Amino acid sequence: MTDNVEKRPVQIAKFAFIQLVVLAFLFAIKEYNYNLSHAFVECYCIAVSLGIVFIVFNSNTHIDNHFIRILSTGYLCMILIDFLHMIAYKGMNIFIGYNSNLPTQLWILSRYVEGFALLLATLSVGKKIKINYIYLFFPLITISGVSLIFSGLFPNAFIEGQGLTPFKIISEYVIVGIILISLLLLFLKRDRFDKNVRRFLYLSFLSAILTDLMFTFYGDPFDVFNLLGHYFKILSVYFIYKAVMQIAIKTPQDIIFREIELKKNSLENEVRNYIVKLESLNRSQAALINSLQELVFVLDDQLTIIEFHYPESDVLYLQPEDFLNKHYDEIGFPEPAKSTIKESIEATLQYGKPSRAEYYLDLHEGRGWYDIQVSIILGDKVTKNKLLCTIRDITERRKMEEIIFNEKEQFKATLLSIGEGVIATDVCGNILVMNNIAEKLTAWNREEALGKSLGEVFQVIHEITREKCSNPVQKVLETAGIFKMSGYTLLLSKANTETPIEVSAAPIRSSTGKATGIVIVFRDITEKREKQRQIEYLSFHDSLTGLYNRRYISEILKQLDTEENLPLALIFIDVNGLKLSNDAFGHQAGDQLLRTVAKVMQGACRAGDIIGRLGGDEFAIVLPRTNETIAKEIQEKIVSTASQITLDSVIVSLAAGCAVKTRSDQDIDGIITNAENNMYKNKRHSGKSMRSHTIETVLRNINLKYDSEQIHTERVSEYCEAIARAMNLREKEIRDIKTAGSLHDIGKITLPADILNKPSKLTDEEYEIIKKHPKQVIKC
């Protein structure tokens, strides 16, 4: 073959002629003996590949080129596979029991190795890689692939009687894709290759692509595509060989010089950039120094001032000529400035670290404060270390610090004196401030709590659910506003006590509006809660009996009027003769009667039943999940128990009625009406007898209180009867008049016995009391 592929007409014609001769030669050998032609091609490729390996190995000491090293490693492994591929043909009779699938599988493995070699070699150009991993990669993939092939685990590439498998054809296209990517990378990195090297590599990559394409078309080893595939493989290996020769032997110095040139250009660019940055930095430093309102001076190793910058404002009331080329101790710094500067310089020299101090001067316009800072300017092999001293007027800063300190103390005094617990945190929720009330309520000592997270010290739970409440710090940060907790909040102290509290939290903002912390204010609401409970109790309870009132009964009926509470029973109760008892025996007796009835109902009802006084002499009982039978049993028990009670002169008599809601479509108001109607029916039946019984009791008590009252009452009654008969009235009218005569002094039941039985003359006041008893007769 020719050694040059130059683009001159004669050379091109010569090269073309040689290629035609090679093709004719291959065709002739193939026609004579296919195994001989195949062995010739493979031996040629193996020999050229070995040449590549030897060239790279021998030039390895003076050429540091990962491209050809990776290529040689890949081609060395490819030599082994190609050799196995060559001797695996059936006509060679080397591997007994294997058919044409074996050499085809080895061919695919060889093509994959070559494709990865071209890709990895191209990727390595211009990059720092760990070449040892590449050296391990190719042997590993070669050994693994060969092992899979001979163990029968490798996919079939050729089937006798059918031809190439889809795996073999697809693999060829995959390999073509890998080589195309390598060709694209080669084009992108073309500036790193010599022109001749680049040309050989282009031709080699294209020949490799044509090789794989040819082997996707052939159906028989003797067809033209098989011949062309082997021919393009020869060209591919040949052109790689030429490229390696060009790199490693013919023009290695050009590669070296090219790399040196590239590095030189890169370094020159870096130097230029550094110079630009340095000039910019110097300008910035100069502008910065000129803008400083500080006295700045530099001392050499003899502590002589060799440089200085003086601000427009006089820091120490000294002139510039007082500084330059003088020992710092010779400068007329006033005390205590002189002593402070000397101590700072000596501290920096002794410990080798920057030092800083503050001092004051009493000036005409008042006390001025100053800050001195001394640091080391490190020298090198030529220059010695220097000291940089800066003196700054901090009078305004100290005044502001004084103002801030005073405000802080005022805030602290205010905080500690208020009657609510206060905790302040940073934005992370760590406690910074805590007042005495907060200490008392949380049972945490201030020194212990400072620095801890708010959640550890300030533990709050919901009073009803007992679940942990939200962290106030997080809520304030999320909402960027004031956060208030609900009324059912308990504070769990360190001493395991629970305190109901009200909590509000708000952000502490900087001058820019950014939250810099959170303040939490909370107070003990135990007394408030107790008063609230008392108010709630009074709003839902009857003050006389302690039972629920009408308002509560109305509310609870709305809540219980649901499907799960059915059957829902109602019992309405009315106290017979309450008005008569009040009129006859006084309101205290009537109140005692109502309290007695309330106790009777409480004793007869169950734990879940709800008892209430609707007002006056009316009561109601709500019985969830209670049928009519049980409701009537409870009703009868209440009425029966009440009838057996003796309450001095007052008779305990009840009228009761019940109704039950059994379906959800029934209106609860209708059930209430039914219960009331049933109660009124019962009241009409028992009311008259109870009234008569009460009147008899009243008369009996009057007779017991007033010794001669019974005789007087009987005489008046007899006189009334005699007069009525003399008037010829009807018998019923006579009975009514007789009864009226016996009741004419019934009002005396309200009079004190000592007045009724007084033997002496009554006083005016006692007589006025006596005169009131006819009014009680009218009421009765």
Side-chain angles (χ1 to χ4, degrees):
M1 288 187 180
T2 183
D3 290 332
N4 277 315
V5 186
E6 299 179 17
K7 293 183 180 180
R8 289 193 294 266
V10 175
Q11 294 295 335
I12 293 174
K14 182 179 178 182
F15 179 77
F17 175 75
I18 293 174
Q19 303 313 310
L20 290 173
V21 172
V22 171
L23 272 173
F25 177 72
L26 290 176
F27 179 77
I29 297 177
K30 183 174 74 68
E31 290 297 319
Y32 174 73
N33 187 306
Y34 177 78
N35 283 340
L36 179 60
S37 66
H38 182 264
F40 173 79
V41 172
E42 296 299 336
C43 286
Y44 173 82
C45 293
I46 291 171
V48 175
S49 299
L50 281 173
I52 294 172
V53 174
F54 290 147
I55 291 170
V56 175
F57 178 78
N58 290 322
S59 62
N60 193 44
T61 56
H62 62 275
I63 293 182
D64 184 14
N65 191 305
H66 289 329
F67 180 81
I68 60 175
R69 287 181 178 178
I70 294 174
L71 276 180
S72 65
T73 305
Y75 273 79
L76 179 62
C77 292
M78 196 172 69
I79 290 170
L80 172 63
I81 301 172
D82 283 348
F83 178 74
L84 294 174
H85 165 73
M86 180 182 68
I87 65 176
Y89 267 75
K90 289 192 295 185
M92 305 296 286
N93 295 322
I94 302 296
F95 298 108
I96 308 301
Y98 289 91
N99 55 23
S100 299
N101 183 43
L102 177 61
T104 310
Q105 290 175 317
L106 290 167
W107 165 266
I108 287 297
L109 179 62
S110 173
R111 301 306 299 155
Y112 269 118
V113 171
E114 182 179 16
F116 285 127
L118 297 177
L119 178 62
L120 293 175
T122 311
L123 285 171
S124 69
V125 176
K127 294 183 179 179
K128 293 182 179 181
I129 63 171
K130 295 182 179 180
I131 193 68
N132 291 334
Y133 291 143
I134 305 297
Y135 291 156
L136 291 174
F137 172 74
F138 285 107
L140 181 62
I141 194 174
T142 300
I143 295 171
S144 300
V146 171
S147 300
L148 290 173
I149 290 172
F150 280 96
S151 64
L153 299 176
F154 197 84
N156 290 329
F158 183 87
I159 299 176
E160 296 286 347
Q162 296 183 16
L164 301 177
T165 65
F167 166 74
K168 198 271 184 185
I169 296 173
I170 293 172
S171 293
E172 296 285 8
Y173 284 117
V174 171
I175 296 166
V176 168
I178 295 173
I179 300 174
L180 278 173
I181 295 172
S182 305
L183 183 60
L184 176 61
L185 292 172
L186 179 64
F187 177 76
L188 295 175
K189 301 179 180 182
R190 60 189 180 277
D191 292 340
R192 293 187 173 271
F193 292 93
D194 178 74
K195 180 175 65 175
N196 291 328
V197 173
R198 199 163 59 230
R199 183 186 307 117
F200 288 131
L201 290 176
Y202 284 156
L203 291 171
S204 175
F205 284 24
L206 290 172
S207 299
I209 290 171
L210 292 172
T211 299
D212 288 291
L213 288 176
M214 292 300 106
F215 281 104
T216 61
F217 297 137
Y218 86 95
D220 185 273
F222 299 97
D223 64 16
V224 66
F225 292 110
N226 186 282
L227 174 65
L228 289 174
H230 284 95
Y231 168 71
F232 285 123
K233 183 179 181 183
I234 291 172
L235 284 181
S236 173
V237 175
Y238 169 72
F239 287 128
I240 281 289
Y241 173 79
K242 293 292 287 182
V244 172
M245 285 283 291
Q246 193 77 17
I247 294 171
I249 297 177
K250 292 189 176 182
T251 58
Q253 67 279 9
D254 294 341
I255 302 298
I256 295 172
F257 291 149
R258 180 181 296 275
E259 292 181 355
I260 292 174
E261 186 67 22
L262 290 173
K263 290 182 180 178
K264 175 188 174 184
N265 293 335
S266 176
L267 288 173
E268 287 178 350
N269 290 332
E270 289 181 6
V271 170
R272 282 194 293 270
N273 291 334
Y274 284 138
I275 291 173
V276 172
K277 290 180 180 178
L278 185 59
E279 291 176 349
S280 175
L281 181 61
N282 289 336
R283 288 193 297 271
S284 300
Q285 288 178 340
L288 178 62
I289 291 175
N290 291 330
S291 66
L292 291 175
Q293 293 299 309
E294 300 174 351
L295 173 64
V296 181
F297 54 92
V298 178
L299 305 175
D300 61 13
D301 59 318
Q302 300 300 318
L303 302 183
T304 300
I305 299 176
I306 57 176
E307 298 179 29
F308 75 94
H309 166 74
Y310 204 82
E312 293 181 1
S313 60
D314 293 337
V315 177
L316 292 175
Y317 301 94
L318 299 172
Q319 299 301 318
E321 57 269 16
D322 296 332
F323 290 90
L324 196 58
N325 298 323
K326 291 185 178 180
H327 191 277
Y328 82 92
D329 215 10
E330 299 176 5
I331 300 172
F333 289 115
E335 290 291 353
K338 186 174 183 177
S339 300
T340 305
I341 293 172
K342 184 177 181 180
E343 291 173 1
S344 299
I345 291 174
E346 290 176 352
T348 300
L349 291 174
Q350 181 178 355
Y351 299 107
K353 296 180 180 180
S355 60
R356 187 171 185 176
E358 293 182 2
Y359 62 89
Y360 67 88
L361 292 176
D362 290 320
L363 308 174
H364 294 296
E365 60 272 21
R367 175 165 290 184
W369 284 91
Y370 302 92
D371 172 274
I372 177 171
Q373 191 167 356
V374 182
S375 57
I376 298 176
I377 303 175
L378 295 176
D380 51 28
K381 294 180 179 179
V382 178
T383 60
K384 296 182 179 180
N385 292 348
K386 301 175 184 178
L387 292 181
L388 175 66
C389 302
T390 60
I391 299 177
R392 180 176 52 177
D393 187 344
I394 60 169
T395 303
E396 293 301 319
R397 192 194 76 185
R398 289 298 297 259
K399 290 180 179 178
M400 291 301 298
E401 288 176 351
E402 186 71 20
I403 293 172
I404 293 172
F405 176 80
N406 291 335
E407 290 181 349
K408 183 178 178 181
E409 287 300 308
Q410 292 175 3
F411 166 75
K412 185 176 180 182
T414 303
L415 181 66
L416 296 177
S417 64
I418 64 176
E420 297 178 334
V422 179
I423 297 176
T425 73
D426 57 20
V427 290
C428 297
N430 299 316
I431 296 176
L432 302 176
V433 179
M434 187 174 183
N435 71 350
N436 296 335
I437 302 299
E439 280 188 291
K440 180 181 178 181
L441 292 177
T442 62
W444 276 82
N445 182 275
R446 183 185 293 110
E447 286 70 23
E448 289 182 310
L450 294 182
K452 295 187 181 297
S453 65
L454 180 69
E456 185 176 354
V457 176
F458 188 70
Q459 299 185 35
V460 288
I461 63 171
H462 194 278
E463 186 174 358
I464 298 174
T465 64
R466 308 297 292 183
E467 294 181 356
K468 190 174 182 180
C469 295
S470 303
N471 189 315
V473 174
Q474 294 178 352
K475 285 294 184 181
V476 169
L477 293 177
E478 289 173 3
T479 60
I482 297 174
F483 168 71
K484 293 185 178 180
M485 285 190 177
S486 63
Y488 296 98
T489 304
L490 291 179
L491 172 64
L492 303 182
S493 73
K494 189 178 180 181
N496 294 323
T497 60
E498 297 182 356
T499 306
I501 58 172
E502 287 180 342
V503 184
S504 65
I508 303 171
R509 300 189 185 277
S510 65
S511 58
T512 61
K514 182 180 179 181
T516 59
I518 310 296
V519 61
I520 300 97
V521 180
F522 55 100
R523 60 176 176 170
D524 184 351
I525 59 169
T526 303
E527 292 185 8
K528 178 182 176 181
R529 180 70 60 80
E530 184 60 31
K531 291 179 180 178
Q532 183 178 357
R533 285 174 178 168
Q534 290 177 3
I535 293 171
E536 289 178 353
Y537 181 87
L538 293 175
S539 66
F540 288 114
H541 287 77
D542 174 51
S543 59
L544 177 64
T545 62
L547 302 177
Y548 290 112
N549 58 18
R550 177 183 290 275
R551 177 185 174 191
Y552 183 82
I553 294 297
S554 298
E555 292 293 329
I556 203 66
L557 271 175
K558 295 177 183 178
Q559 297 178 25
L560 295 178
D561 188 16
T562 58
E563 182 74 29
E564 57 267 21
N565 289 314
L566 297 181
L568 180 63
L570 295 177
I571 300 176
F572 276 76
I573 296 175
D574 183 272
V575 180
N576 292 324
L578 176 63
K579 185 175 183 302
L580 183 60
S581 297
N582 282 333
D583 293 339
F585 305 111
H587 285 283
Q588 290 183 352
D591 291 347
Q592 182 62 33
L593 173 60
L594 292 174
R595 285 193 288 266
T596 301
V597 172
K599 290 180 181 179
V600 170
M601 289 190 290
Q602 289 172 331
C605 289
R606 303 163 303 180
D609 299 335
I610 300 166
I611 310 169
R613 180 188 175 199
L614 303 181
D617 55 1
E618 291 188 359
F619 293 84
I621 305 174
V622 182
L623 305 97
R625 295 180 290 278
T626 303
N627 57 35
E628 187 175 3
T629 302
I630 297 176
K632 285 188 175 181
E633 289 177 357
I634 294 173
Q635 172 184 318
E636 292 301 325
K637 183 178 180 182
I638 292 171
V639 174
S640 174
T641 303
S643 65
Q644 298 173 13
I645 294 176
T646 300
L647 196 63
D648 294 333
S649 302
V650 180
I651 298 171
V652 182
S653 174
L654 304 178
C658 75
V660 182
K661 178 176 179 177
T662 57
R663 302 190 313 274
S664 58
D665 59 346
Q666 291 177 301
D667 185 11
I668 191 66
D669 291 333
I671 303 300
I672 294 173
T673 301
N674 292 339
E676 288 179 332
N677 291 338
N678 292 334
M679 176 192 71
Y680 288 130
K681 289 178 183 178
N682 186 281
K683 187 175 182 67
R684 285 193 296 271
H685 179 266
S686 59
K688 292 181 179 180
S689 60
M690 183 273 169
R691 183 180 180 87
S692 299
H693 193 187
T694 300
I695 291 173
E696 292 174 1
T697 303
V698 170
L699 292 175
R700 185 169 56 253
N701 285 332
I702 292 173
N703 295 335
L704 291 174
K705 289 171 66 176
Y706 185 32
D707 298 338
S708 60
E709 184 64 28
Q710 184 174 0
I711 298 172
H712 171 69
T713 299
E714 290 176 353
R715 285 178 179 176
V716 171
S717 178
E718 290 173 356
Y719 290 153
C720 289
E721 180 184 7
I723 292 171
R725 290 188 182 279
M727 295 175 64
N728 296 319
L729 297 178
R730 289 176 295 178
E731 195 63 34
K732 180 179 182 305
E733 291 174 334
I734 294 172
R735 287 197 302 271
D736 290 341
I737 291 174
K738 182 181 180 181
T739 301
S742 64
L743 296 176
H744 78 284
D745 276 342
I746 196 171
K748 291 182 180 179
I749 189 66
T750 61
L751 301 180
D754 56 344
I755 294 179
L756 290 175
N757 295 319
K758 187 176 181 180
S760 59
K761 183 179 179 180
L762 298 177
T763 65
D764 293 339
E765 291 80 9
E766 291 173 338
Y767 186 63
E768 288 298 322
I769 294 174
I770 289 289
K771 288 194 295 183
K772 291 179 181 179
H773 85 271
K775 297 180 181 179
Q776 301 299 327
V777 176
I778 298 173
K779 292 181 180 180
C780 291

